[in-house]
Amino acid sequence: MEKSVRYGSIALALVCLYASNSYAALEVITSSEKNTLKDIERQYNIDPQLISVNDKFSRHNKKANDIEELKKKIVSEKARYEELVGQLQDKILAKANMPAFYRQIEDTVNGIDSLETRTRLDTQTLEGEREDIQAEYKSINAKRSEKSQKLFKLKKDITDRLVADLSKSSSELPVNINGSTECSKFQSIADCLKESKSYILSNTRNESPFLTDKSVLLDYEVLDANMNMHGELNYKVAMKFKPSYNKKIDAIINEELGLKSAMITLVSNVDADWYINGNKVGTGKKLFHEIPLGKHGILASYQSEDKSSVENIEGNGVFNYNFDKPQVANSVERLPEQPKQAEKAKPKAKYTLFSDNTSMPKGDAKKVTTEKGYEYFMGVKPSTKKQVIEFTNEPTEK
């Protein structure tokens, strides 16, 4: 295809060159290969399974938190039992209502036993659920692995085709461009085109995935050029390059097939526990984690609450999972008020003397009457007889 571009030979405005219709003969990924990619995506669609297991994992975490609460209650009830036993002797000596007191101890013991039984059974059930959830995640990961193998095979097929096509002696990349640039009014068309040639070649190599800065130029021809009275030059250039397989092509293939990873940022307003696909990746308000592109289950857990979702990772991103924190009293420590003291008299103004960096009260300054007015000499010692007379207005002893 042909694309118009504009740049200046003195002040470059824009250089954006691209291939002509003949460039379409070279494709990084063909339509057939794109159809193969779609088939792989359909065959290994893990969305429903991933959403289901992520929900199960969230409920599993809630049950685990409930069991922890039961354990805390057992500890509390056992402490209560010890307290009652400690009162037994005093109750006997006081001849208190012992049947009621014994029933209280008995109820506490039975309550502890009931809580321990419930905790044991819930823990066993939870372990069974954990194994089922881990099996589901394992199945999902197996599908991911199979999908990756097929994608890598597809990449190899694409790469082999490109290397074979581009390494042929007859392989050429023709590029036709229409462009414009601003020349000096005193330049000829030939001089302006000659000065612009390096920019045209450099940007053509940068724009095409099949070219590098070392790509060989096979042919360069100016097909048409004209300049108006304002120095604006319009031209049409035809070029031919020797294409080659390079890292730009490899990056395009990896991105199209989802064979690269991304860095995601997990953010919360609390120190949450973070899980990705059932595996804990850390705890905190902000975590960074590298993850392959594709669908992943993300879960944040804080105390007895969970936040989860299934995300399609297509590149670097930030995921926020905020929780409602319980309201707490203001924790700012207030200092006791200081008793008010009687206002002190304001100190006399001081003047800082730069000669000796000292400060003296205003009243200590010596005033000298002169024809010009009052002059203050503060903290400066007279060094001559004349200064003694000027500073003190007193004659010196002869």
Side-chain angles (χ1 to χ4, degrees):
M1 63 180 174
E2 297 184 353
K3 189 172 183 177
S4 297
V5 285
R6 178 183 182 89
Y7 66 93
S9 58
I10 298 174
L12 184 62
L14 174 64
V15 182
C16 181
L17 312 178
Y18 218 55
S20 66
N21 290 334
S22 56
Y23 168 77
L26 290 176
E27 294 181 284
V28 176
I29 302 179
T30 64
S31 57
S32 174
E33 290 161 346
K34 289 179 180 178
N35 289 333
T36 302
L37 175 60
K38 290 179 181 178
D39 291 339
I40 294 173
E41 294 289 349
R42 282 193 296 266
Q43 183 181 357
Y44 294 96
N45 180 20
I46 61 173
D47 289 8
Q49 190 177 0
L50 188 57
I51 292 172
S52 174
V53 72
N54 215 47
D55 289 342
K56 289 179 183 178
F57 187 59
S58 180
R59 293 193 296 270
H60 174 86
N61 276 352
K62 177 65 171 62
K63 292 177 182 178
N65 288 327
D66 291 342
I67 290 176
E68 290 301 317
E69 292 299 322
L70 286 176
K71 290 179 178 179
K72 292 178 182 178
K73 193 170 182 180
I74 290 172
V75 172
S76 175
E77 289 299 309
K78 285 185 176 181
R80 174 59 178 160
Y81 169 77
E82 294 295 336
E83 182 182 349
L84 291 173
V85 172
Q87 298 174 9
L88 183 58
Q89 183 177 354
D90 293 338
K91 292 287 185 181
I92 293 174
L93 293 176
K95 296 181 180 180
N97 186 0
M98 295 307 297
F101 186 73
Y102 285 135
R103 280 195 303 271
Q104 192 176 0
I105 294 177
E106 183 180 358
D107 290 343
T108 303
V109 171
N110 290 332
I112 292 172
D113 181 67
S114 176
L115 290 172
E116 289 179 335
T117 301
R118 180 181 169 187
T119 301
R120 183 174 64 256
L121 295 176
D122 288 353
T123 301
Q124 292 174 355
T125 303
L126 201 67
E127 287 298 324
E129 289 181 2
R130 184 192 302 274
E131 292 177 2
D132 292 341
I133 291 172
Q134 289 177 345
E136 288 192 52
Y137 275 122
K138 187 176 180 181
S139 174
I140 291 173
N141 291 333
K143 285 187 177 181
R144 290 184 195 276
S145 179
E146 292 176 13
K147 179 181 178 181
S148 294
Q149 291 176 7
K150 292 206 171 186
L151 290 175
F152 277 112
K153 183 182 182 303
L154 177 58
K155 179 184 177 181
K156 184 178 183 302
D157 293 341
I158 295 171
T159 302
D160 290 345
R161 172 185 59 80
L162 285 170
V163 171
D165 290 345
L166 298 178
S167 61
K168 293 176 181 177
S169 58
S170 59
S171 175
E172 295 179 348
L173 178 65
V175 181
N176 292 338
I177 64 165
N178 287 326
S180 65
T181 185
E182 293 181 3
C183 307
S184 168
K185 295 181 180 180
F186 306 101
Q187 277 185 308
S188 67
I189 293 177
D191 287 342
C192 187
L193 286 171
K194 183 178 180 181
E195 184 177 315
S196 305
K197 182 177 179 180
S198 61
Y199 290 108
I200 296 173
L201 293 175
S202 174
N203 284 275
T204 302
R205 290 184 172 110
N206 289 337
E207 289 293 327
S208 173
F210 296 98
L211 301 178
T212 68
D213 57 352
K214 296 180 181 179
S215 294
V216 177
L217 176 66
L218 301 176
D219 187 43
Y220 185 91
E221 181 183 1
V222 179
L223 302 178
D224 188 23
N226 60 80
M227 184 165 60
N228 62 23
M229 296 294 293
H230 301 288
E232 183 174 341
L233 176 67
N234 295 296
Y235 58 85
K236 183 175 183 179
V237 176
M239 297 170 281
K240 286 184 181 179
F241 293 88
K242 179 62 180 176
S244 62
Y245 190 91
N246 58 78
K247 62 182 182 181
K248 289 193 290 185
I249 296 176
D250 198 67
I252 291 173
I253 296 173
N254 286 338
E255 185 170 357
E256 289 293 327
L257 302 186
L259 294 177
K260 67 176 187 178
S261 60
M263 183 64 70
I264 62 173
T265 307
L266 305 173
V267 179
S268 180
N269 59 332
V270 296
D271 290 321
D273 294 325
W274 295 95
Y275 299 84
I276 295 180
N277 299 327
N279 297 316
K280 187 174 181 179
V281 296
T283 300
K285 292 183 179 179
K286 189 174 185 179
L287 290 182
F288 301 95
H289 189 74
E290 188 174 4
I291 191 172
L293 299 186
K295 298 290 182 69
H296 297 275
I298 302 175
L299 184 142
S301 180
Y302 178 70
Q303 294 179 352
S304 60
E305 188 179 356
D306 291 340
K307 303 280 187 179
S308 67
S309 63
V310 174
E311 302 292 344
N312 184 23
I313 308 300
E314 297 179 338
N316 297 345
V318 180
F319 299 91
N320 292 276
Y321 298 78
N322 290 331
F323 295 82
D324 295 328
K325 294 192 292 185
Q327 297 294 328
V328 296
N330 193 337
S331 60
V332 177
E333 182 179 356
R334 299 185 179 275
L335 298 176
E337 294 185 3
Q338 298 292 335
K340 293 184 179 180
Q341 298 179 356
E343 288 188 15
K344 295 180 179 179
K346 293 184 178 180
K348 295 181 179 180
K350 293 184 179 181
Y351 296 88
T352 300
L353 307 183
F354 296 101
S355 59
D356 60 356
N357 293 328
T358 59
S359 296
M360 296 178 62
K362 182 178 178 182
D364 292 343
K366 296 181 179 180
K367 183 171 68 176
V368 178
T369 304
T370 67
E371 294 179 356
K372 299 179 181 179
Y374 295 107
E375 295 181 357
Y376 292 90
F377 300 92
M378 296 173 284
V380 180
K381 296 180 179 180
S383 58
T384 64
K385 291 182 179 179
K386 182 180 179 182
Q387 288 180 350
V388 171
I389 297 173
E390 291 175 346
F391 286 13
T392 62
N393 204 23
E394 296 176 357
T396 56
E397 294 180 1
K398 296 184 179 179

